[in-house]
Amino acid sequence: MARDVDSIKANNCETKMTMLHCVIEVFASIFKTGIVYDNCCHELIELGQLCHNALVKKTLQNPLFKNNDTSVILSKTAQIWNKCTLVGENVSLTPSP
Ligand SMILES: *[C@@H]1O[C@H](CO)[C@@H](O)[C@H](O)[C@H]1NC(C)=O
Ligand SMILES: *[C@@H]1O[C@H](CO)[C@@H](O)[C@H](O)[C@H]1NC(C)=O
């Protein structure tokens, strides 16, 4: 657990989260429902998978989320990351219409 907090600090994850509405969008889609739109997917890719995972794990330690199934949350975390990497590929594969 302490390791997640350390990796957040070591990788400056919190300072990389520049677009707060994207953070909210990503977390809402993991812990509640909703989708992450392309512009926030790009933001998530910029943040990096290590930070994405570490921040979700840190959030899971919050008593507010104690009822959530860790395995469900972690699989949604991975799904959103994978979806966003595909969005990123699509953009780079189609530079002009
Ligand atoms: C997480 O827990 C909250 C409160 O119990 C619940 O409303 C929400 O649906 C849960 N989310 C997931 C992804 O299971
Ligand atoms: C990638 O682009 C194709 C063609 O525009 C589209 O059908 C597909 O849904 C896109 N995939 C993602 C993950 O956005």
Side-chain angles (χ1 to χ4, degrees):
M1 287 194 178
R3 198 178 293 156
D4 294 322
V5 176
D6 286 350
S7 68
I8 289 169
K9 283 213 175 111
N11 294 284
N12 294 317
C13 295
E14 271 156 354
T15 58
K16 285 183 193 165
M17 298 189 301
T18 50
M19 292 170 79
L20 194 61
H21 78 274
C22 286
V23 176
I24 293 167
E25 194 168 296
V26 169
F27 275 78
S29 67
I30 293 171
F31 289 96
K32 294 178 190 166
T33 52
I35 61 167
V36 180
Y37 291 95
D38 288 7
N39 62 334
C40 286
C41 268
H42 297 310
E43 186 74 6
L44 186 65
I45 300 296
E46 290 279 302
L47 182 67
Q49 189 170 25
L50 201 152
C51 285
H52 175 54
N53 291 342
L55 290 166
V56 169
K57 285 182 189 165
K58 185 189 165 196
T59 304
L60 274 170
Q61 288 163 28
N62 186 314
L64 271 177
F65 301 100
K66 68 178 191 303
N67 293 326
N68 286 110
D69 186 335
T70 304
S71 65
V72 170
I73 298 297
L74 293 182
S75 89
K76 287 185 95 179
T77 303
Q79 271 171 31
I80 285 165
W81 176 264
N82 290 338
K83 179 200 167 255
C84 283
T85 56
L86 292 176
V87 170
E89 271 173 24
N90 244 14
V91 168
S92 59
L93 286 173
T94 53
S96 52

